[in-house]
Amino acid sequence: MPREFTPKVVTANALLEGDVVYLTADDLWSRHLTEAEILTDEADAQYRLLQAQARSAEVVGAYLADVRQGPDRPIPAHFREEFRRTGPSNRFHGKQADGLKNA
């Protein structure tokens, strides 16, 4: 029996900076998960992923990441995505130094 489709976001790494980015509904790349388009239809998610993968001059490694809808923002469904969102584990540089503004 097929598994039920769960909400997803398209995520990748920015080609030049290497930052984690998320595809928005406006076809822009954002560094903030709060701005990501939440995809609830499997066919639409696959289509958005194909569009993202075609943008190889902007991003690398695009894939669909599971999310849950939190009270005011999407929440990563897996530890890996939370780790990618918050940055390296050694503290007080990069995203940690910025206090995860709009993360």
Side-chain angles (χ1 to χ4, degrees), residues 11-30:
T11 185
N13 290 89
L15 183 62
L16 297 180
E17 300 89 5
D19 291 345
V20 174
V21 291
Y22 304 94
L23 189 60
T24 69
D26 298 332
D27 279 333
L28 301 174
W29 292 106
S30 172

Side-chain angles (χ1 to χ4, degrees), residues 3 12 15 17 24 38 43 61 67 75 78 96-97 100:
R3 291 173 40 179
L15 183 62
E17 300 89 5
T24 69
I38 299 175
V67 293
I75 298 170
H78 299 290
Q96 292 87 359
L100 291 173

